[in-house]
Amino acid sequence: MRGVTAKAKAQAKRRRSSDEGAALREDIRFLGRLLGDTIREQAGTEVFDLVESIRLTAIRYRRDHDADSLAHLERTIGRLHPAHATAVVRAFSYFHHLANAAEDLHAHGAPTDEGSIAVALQRLRAAHVSNKAIVSFFERARVEPVLTAHPTEVQRKSVLDRHRVVIDLLAARGQQSAAELEKALRREVLLLWRTNELRVAKPTVADEIENGLTYFRSTFLDAIPQLYAEIEDGIGPGTRLPPFLRVASWIGGDRDGNPHVTADVTEHAVGQQAAVVLAHYLTEIHALGAELSLSSRYTAASPELQALAARSPDRGTSREEEPYRRALVGIYARVAATARALELEAGARGAAAAAARPYRAAAELAADLRVLASALADDGAGLASDGRLRGLRRDVDVFGFHLCALDLRQHSQVHERAVAEIVARATGRRGYEALGEADRQALLLRELATARPLISPHVRYGEETTQELATLAAAARVRARFGERAIPNYVISMTAAPSDVLEVALLLKEVGLLVPGEEPTSALNIIPLFETIEDLRRCGDVLDQLFSLPYYRRLLESRGDMQEVMLGYSDSNKDGGFLTSNWELYKAELTIVESCRRHGVGLRLFHGRGGTVGRGGGPSYRAVLAQPRGSVNGQLRLTEQGEVIASKYADPVVGRRNLGTLVAATMEATLLPGVDLGDDEAPFRETMEELSGHAFGAYRGLVYQTPGFIDYFRASTPINEIGDLNIGSRPASRRASDRIEDLRAIPWVFSWGQSRQAIPGFYGFGAAVKTFLARRSTTRKRQLGRLRAMYARWPFFRTLVDRLDMVLAKMDIGIAARYAALVPDRKLRKSVFDRIAREHDDTRAAFFAITQTRELLETNPPLALSLRNRIPYIDPLSHLQVDLLRRLRAGKGDAEELRRAVHLTINGVAAGLRNSG
């Protein structure tokens, strides 16, 4: 019976997938028809016919790869007037926006899908994990996605707002007639067509802060309490979990390479966050007052509720018999008074005008709400507290008065320069930067042991040091004003040595965030971020040295003996390539786990993942389960960046599903036994080490050792034009330089994705497998068998190989060749592109040989369907981009008009590829 049931479930899932695919295609066709009608009406039949001609020719070229189709396509595009080119680009781009909306509507998933809370709980129970063990897990667990402002979201909020409305209209289609729905959607498509897709100015950090807050308003404040309720109800009646799931942010606190994030900006960020959450509480309390109309004639009020109602400023005779409403008026007034005391605009209603005492902390508000819930439960009306009151109580637990934790981040070299200046000014001894590591540690520990300050209000420091101290002082003020959860973490980019961590400790001491002495205490978690291949290889030694310092161990004890460590996926990929980056990250996790175990320190890993495969992206559920054993252990933080934030969290239903996936994966990775490779573990790891060595050599040989490669990169991708786009407040490079090392990983990956070359997502894998299979010490069949066994049995390797599936599907070597043709140096062009094309072919061959599949995305039908729908519209945009880049760079036409058209193609390709940054 069990087998039949499993088979039936699989068949039902396939049927549902097929039905959803058909429904999705129908919605995309419907929206495409409305867009076509709008283009014909707004831009004219000539533009509409051009769009159709280019689309059909691009389809023929992709299908047949014939020279005639390509020549016809190039002639058509080459003859376009810039105004017509812009209209055509906009047409293809807006198709992607509408297709994205349809896909997001159909991407909700079912409660019985893998990665859902329900399935995770089923698997735990099947493994005989008790409810007590599950609750115990949540008591020590921490799951925290961290929103960042890394600039890969090229779409304007105005466009994303229309996207949201289209989803809402399609979702509510049964509530109005077909004619009314079509009219409403036509209006939205018209508004889209008349909206400028491009920002006219770079967003400020304040803009980025506001954009981040929209996801709390639209999704997190409602979806997170619902998710908690789902988990608690799934465990069993009466379950009340501690606040293990929260959302954090870097927006307004991440100063690494962004001079616009100042002390004032950091204080502004936390103030805006607090205003949002207090406004939410006021709205919910007001609505709750309307709900809880219970009369003392029919309900018994507990003494605590009576006391709470008696303290209320509400003396209206109409509510004399309504203790809950009176109590809520008092709670409302105190929240409004709290907002006023914090000098925040939270939109309080008239009732808040009554004199009330502010809450000193969110715990006091939580206690008052608990009085309401307990009174209802004691009187047999507990069901009445299961809706809005339950959600509000959970919100207060999770979001407090600060909404979300704001992490601070800065580059280790900035700290080094600041400490060097502070020490020199205080002691008259220069040369800190020239000291060896041991001498640095001795100096820093000596200063950390004494209460004597190094900084003086009578000394003027350089601008960089002044800003660092000002930001830390602002953090101290924020914590005093909004609570210690408002700013709990400090992340150190490019950590390479223990002194990088001790330097931050010293800076914290100088502003009062670290109390020195024999029993030191730190107000913040100090988090090293290991990013380059070399730093990943050395991270275990760095931690061992830190943990061996008695002073640091005492400091760590003040933070609960928990060390958080961040791993950088983007920069390690740029440094060492796709395969080596992933393998070194995996080994680093094992090393970190062992170091913490050896020293008796708790561990929380923070994964700095981006949206693309080249930046650590991919399905979160499988990525978490592919982590080494012992590396999750109930603790998971990871960054959510750029366009991924909108795709995951703009829609409340999709957002709740994605948050649930993170929780489910953390539960399963912690409580279920991992895959035991047994005797295969050592040979599998040896094989990965060998593959990584071959891949590293191939990648470094191309990117860092090929003369002129940077010239190829700048000519064959729109990197310079991307730098002109108004997509983020942060500069594209950490410093003014033409070195790849100084270029941020985000524009690096984004540029390769736009040109459909996707080097960060695959280069080196094909060469590694080809070399491995050609080893003379054994047969090719045996070697391939090893790789297939790794793919079948090892979640890490399977996840790594499966990511290639998406990369290769979104690549197009024919279109990539057109981008390569933009390189003026023919010899350089041929030398580099031939290597890319050869590696592409070798990687495809390796992928199919290992997975034993025949087509890309064979095991990922939803993405295969998505790309089938999109490719006819992505390819023309790529061809148009190449032609427009050629014209712009040759000075053929109005530069401003051409630049705008190029920017529109970048926007459209990004919308089509989705996780392109």
Side-chain angles (χ1 to χ4, degrees):
M1 282 299 290
R2 194 173 300 168
V4 173
T5 303
K7 184 177 180 181
K9 284 183 177 179
Q11 290 173 340
K13 187 172 182 179
R14 282 196 295 272
R15 282 196 301 272
R16 192 178 79 239
S17 178
S18 176
D19 292 344
E20 288 172 353
L24 172 60
R25 283 192 296 272
E26 183 59 34
D27 278 348
I28 290 176
R29 278 196 288 266
F30 177 41
L31 293 172
R33 176 172 63 82
L34 299 185
L35 176 62
D37 292 346
T38 301
I39 293 168
R40 194 184 287 108
E41 293 165 4
Q42 298 293 314
T45 302
E46 184 180 1
V47 169
F48 176 82
D49 291 342
L50 273 172
V51 169
E52 281 300 289
S53 173
I54 291 170
R55 181 177 71 87
L56 293 173
T57 307
I59 290 173
R60 281 198 302 274
Y61 172 61
R62 169 168 279 270
R63 184 187 63 215
D64 303 329
H65 292 287
D66 64 295
D68 289 343
S69 294
L70 178 59
H72 179 66
L73 186 65
E74 289 178 333
R75 281 197 304 273
T76 303
I77 290 173
R79 292 170 183 166
L80 286 178
H81 183 276
H84 277 163
T86 297
V88 171
V89 169
R90 296 184 74 228
F92 285 116
S93 297
Y94 276 133
F95 170 83
H96 294 306
H97 290 299
L98 295 170
N100 288 349
E103 284 191 3
D104 288 348
L105 173 70
H106 291 271
H108 289 176
T112 55
D113 283 349
E114 183 180 65
S116 66
I117 294 296
V119 169
L121 289 173
Q122 286 174 8
R123 289 178 175 175
L124 294 179
R125 287 179 177 132
H128 307 293
V129 179
S130 67
N131 275 0
K132 182 178 179 181
I134 295 173
V135 171
S136 176
F137 158 81
F138 283 113
E139 287 173 348
R140 57 186 173 82
R142 181 173 174 187
V143 179
E144 193 169 81
V146 183
L147 307 186
T148 79
H150 291 351
T152 59
E153 176 56 270
V154 295
Q155 317 306 336
R156 288 184 64 205
K157 184 175 181 298
S158 300
V159 173
L160 294 173
D161 287 344
R162 303 271 65 76
H163 176 114
R164 174 77 257 140
V165 175
V166 169
I167 291 176
D168 291 343
L169 286 169
L170 289 172
R173 71 184 83 204
Q175 299 174 19
Q176 54 187 324
S177 68
E180 289 172 329
L181 173 64
E182 181 168 329
K183 182 178 179 181
L185 286 169
R186 283 185 183 279
R187 182 171 60 249
E188 292 305 315
V189 174
L190 173 62
L191 289 171
L192 265 178
W193 186 255
R194 292 291 188 95
T195 296
N196 186 0
E197 309 94 318
L198 304 175
R199 300 181 182 94
V200 296
K202 277 192 176 293
T204 64
V205 184
D207 294 330
E208 292 170 339
I209 291 166
E210 177 56 32
N211 184 56
L213 291 174
T214 61
Y215 299 101
F216 287 89
R217 295 187 185 101
S218 67
T219 298
F220 298 132
L221 285 164
D222 291 326
I224 285 181
Q226 292 168 7
L227 181 59
Y228 272 92
E230 178 188 351
I231 298 168
E232 289 169 344
D233 292 347
I235 294 172
T239 303
R240 174 78 179 173
L241 299 177
F244 69 93
L245 169 67
R246 295 189 172 105
V247 177
S249 175
W250 276 11
I251 309 174
D254 180 10
R255 302 174 344 268
D256 180 12
N258 193 342
H260 307 299
V261 179
T262 63
D264 290 342
V265 165
T266 297
E267 289 196 80
H268 171 76
V270 180
Q272 292 299 104
Q273 291 172 186
V276 166
V277 75
L278 287 169
H280 174 74
Y281 293 161
L282 290 171
T283 299
E284 290 300 292
I285 293 166
H286 179 77
L288 194 56
E291 280 185 15
L292 296 184
S293 56
L294 293 79
S295 170
S296 56
R297 291 176 181 267
Y298 307 114
T299 189
S302 68
E304 293 81 7
L305 175 61
Q306 292 177 28
L308 194 59
R311 292 195 296 269
S312 171
D314 185 3
R315 296 292 181 261
T317 55
S318 62
R319 279 184 289 277
E320 283 181 351
E321 296 183 352
E322 296 174 339
Y324 288 93
R325 282 181 166 171
R326 287 173 59 208
L328 283 162
V329 168
I331 292 171
Y332 186 101
R334 291 195 68 185
V335 172
T338 304
R340 286 198 302 273
L342 293 172
E343 300 178 350
L344 301 174
E345 289 292 331
R349 300 167 188 263
R357 182 166 48 89
Y359 286 111
R360 290 174 298 177
E364 291 186 350
L365 171 59
D368 282 354
L369 295 174
R370 187 164 57 248
V371 168
L372 301 182
S374 298
L376 288 167
D378 291 346
D379 197 39
L383 188 62
S385 69
D386 201 36
R388 192 181 300 274
L389 178 56
R390 184 181 187 181
L392 179 57
R393 292 181 65 201
R394 180 55 71 185
D395 273 336
V396 175
D397 282 346
V398 171
F399 300 107
F401 287 160
H402 65 292
L403 185 68
C404 67
L406 180 68
D407 285 8
L408 301 182
R409 181 173 79 133
Q410 183 56 284
H411 197 287
S412 61
Q413 290 183 356
V414 176
H415 305 139
E416 178 186 285
R417 291 193 293 269
V419 167
E421 181 179 8
I422 290 168
V423 169
R425 293 296 186 92
T427 66
R429 296 195 302 271
R430 299 186 179 277
Y432 172 81
E433 291 166 291
L435 293 177
E437 176 62 20
D439 290 334
R440 285 191 184 194
Q441 289 184 31
L443 185 154
L444 293 165
L445 289 168
R446 190 165 56 247
E447 293 299 333
L448 282 167
T450 176
R452 173 179 56 82
L454 286 171
I455 63 171
S456 167
H458 307 297
V459 175
R460 292 190 64 180
Y461 300 96
E463 182 179 349
E464 185 177 66
T465 300
T466 299
Q467 189 55 247
E468 290 310 300
L469 293 172
T471 300
L472 291 175
R477 291 193 298 272
V478 162
R479 288 169 58 86
R481 185 178 171 197
F482 296 102
E484 62 183 21
R485 284 166 52 194
I487 297 182
N489 302 313
Y490 197 109
V491 179
I492 309 166
S493 298
M494 292 294 176
T495 301
S499 59
D500 292 331
V501 175
L502 297 178
E503 284 164 0
V504 170
L506 183 62
L507 293 172
L508 294 178
K509 172 206 154 189
E510 294 301 314
V511 298
L513 289 172
L514 185 149
V515 178
E518 288 299 315
E519 300 295 332
T521 59
S522 175
L524 303 185
N525 298 311
I526 304 175
I527 304 170
L529 165 53
F530 300 103
E531 300 182 78
T532 67
I533 297 299
E534 181 181 355
D535 290 343
L536 288 172
R537 289 171 176 170
R538 294 185 62 251
C539 66
D541 291 338
V542 171
L543 292 176
D544 278 338
Q545 291 179 55
L546 270 174
F547 297 155
S548 297
L549 298 173
Y551 185 92
Y552 187 76
R553 284 294 281 119
R554 292 196 295 272
L555 199 64
L556 207 56
E557 287 169 6
S558 75
R559 301 299 303 170
D561 234 3
M562 173 69 72
Q563 177 67 63
E564 186 164 314
V565 179
M566 187 171 182
L567 299 174
Y569 288 67
S570 305
D571 281 286
S572 61
N573 181 289
K574 181 163 69 74
D575 188 29
F578 164 71
L579 193 149
T580 297
S581 168
N582 278 276
W583 179 232
E584 293 298 337
L585 285 161
Y586 186 90
K587 290 195 300 179
E589 291 188 47
L590 288 171
T591 302
I592 292 166
V593 168
E594 176 57 25
S595 177
C596 289
R597 185 200 63 76
R598 191 163 51 247
H599 292 275
V601 172
L603 170 65
R604 179 184 303 117
L605 281 171
F606 184 3
H607 301 271
R609 294 158 58 92
T612 60
V613 169
R615 297 183 52 240
S620 298
Y621 175 75
R622 295 197 177 278
V624 173
L625 293 183
Q627 301 303 306
R629 280 182 293 175
S631 64
V632 177
N633 199 27
Q635 305 289 315
L636 177 69
R637 293 185 90 215
L638 75 166
T639 53
E640 301 281 29
Q641 305 177 8
E643 78 285 352
V644 169
I645 298 176
S647 66
K648 281 188 174 182
Y649 302 119
D651 178 80
V653 178
V654 174
R656 176 177 160 183
R657 163 75 176 170
N658 280 303
L659 290 167
T661 294
L662 292 178
V663 176
T666 307
M667 290 167 63
E668 292 185 34
T670 304
L671 295 174
L672 293 178
V675 174
D676 184 1
L677 296 176
D679 293 340
D680 283 335
E681 183 166 359
F684 282 5
R685 291 185 63 180
E686 288 171 9
T687 300
M688 269 307 306
E689 194 67 35
E690 182 177 344
L691 290 172
S692 176
H694 297 319
F696 186 72
Y699 176 83
R700 295 286 300 189
L702 175 74
V703 174
Y704 291 95
Q705 297 163 13
T706 300
F709 183 81
I710 189 69
D711 299 321
Y712 176 91
F713 166 59
R714 292 200 174 277
S716 73
T717 74
I719 177 62
N720 295 326
E721 292 73 20
I722 287 170
D724 294 333
L725 267 174
N726 297 315
I727 62 174
S729 67
R730 182 194 305 272
S733 295
R734 280 191 165 102
R735 60 178 64 86
S737 136
D738 204 36
R739 299 169 69 244
I740 293 173
E741 291 89 340
D742 293 329
L743 182 69
R744 288 198 168 276
I746 294 163
W748 165 260
V749 174
F750 194 42
S751 302
W752 288 117
Q754 284 280 318
S755 66
R756 311 289 286 279
Q757 298 179 81
I759 281 174
F762 82 97
Y763 199 92
F765 185 86
V769 172
K770 188 175 184 179
T771 305
F772 177 75
L773 294 180
R775 270 200 332 193
R776 294 181 181 178
S777 59
T778 184
T779 65
R780 184 182 188 280
K781 183 178 181 181
R782 185 172 179 180
Q783 295 289 82
L784 182 57
R786 166 74 58 80
L787 297 178
R788 287 176 174 173
M790 290 165 63
Y791 182 73
R793 297 200 56 218
W794 194 8
F796 162 76
F797 189 70
R798 186 179 189 93
T799 301
L800 182 143
V801 173
D802 283 348
R803 287 176 185 164
L804 288 170
D805 204 3
M806 178 175 66
V807 174
L808 294 171
K810 291 185 177 183
M811 280 187 72
D812 188 287
I813 206 65
I815 291 175
R818 297 206 64 215
Y819 281 91
L822 294 170
V823 179
D825 184 331
R826 292 185 180 183
K827 185 177 179 181
L828 176 65
R829 176 203 316 160
K830 178 172 174 53
S831 168
V832 175
F833 183 73
D834 283 357
R835 290 165 72 179
I836 294 171
R838 188 163 55 248
E839 179 63 15
H840 167 264
D841 292 345
D842 288 345
T843 300
R844 280 177 62 98
F847 173 81
F848 289 129
I850 292 168
T851 63
Q852 301 181 77
T853 55
R854 296 183 179 182
E855 295 181 2
L856 294 173
L857 302 180
E858 193 174 299
T859 59
N860 192 346
L863 183 56
L865 172 63
S866 173
L867 284 179
R868 278 199 300 273
N869 291 330
R870 292 163 182 277
I871 286 298
Y873 298 85
I874 299 173
D875 286 357
L877 281 169
S878 294
H879 289 291
L880 280 158
Q881 188 179 101
V882 171
D883 183 75
L884 291 165
L885 285 170
R886 183 178 287 113
R887 291 195 220 178
L888 176 63
R889 293 171 181 179
K892 294 181 179 179
D894 183 282
E896 193 56 39
E897 193 171 24
L898 287 169
R899 187 173 291 107
R900 171 176 167 75
V902 168
H903 288 167
L904 288 169
T905 63
I906 293 170
N907 185 299
V909 171
L913 295 175
R914 301 209 82 169
N915 61 339
S916 57

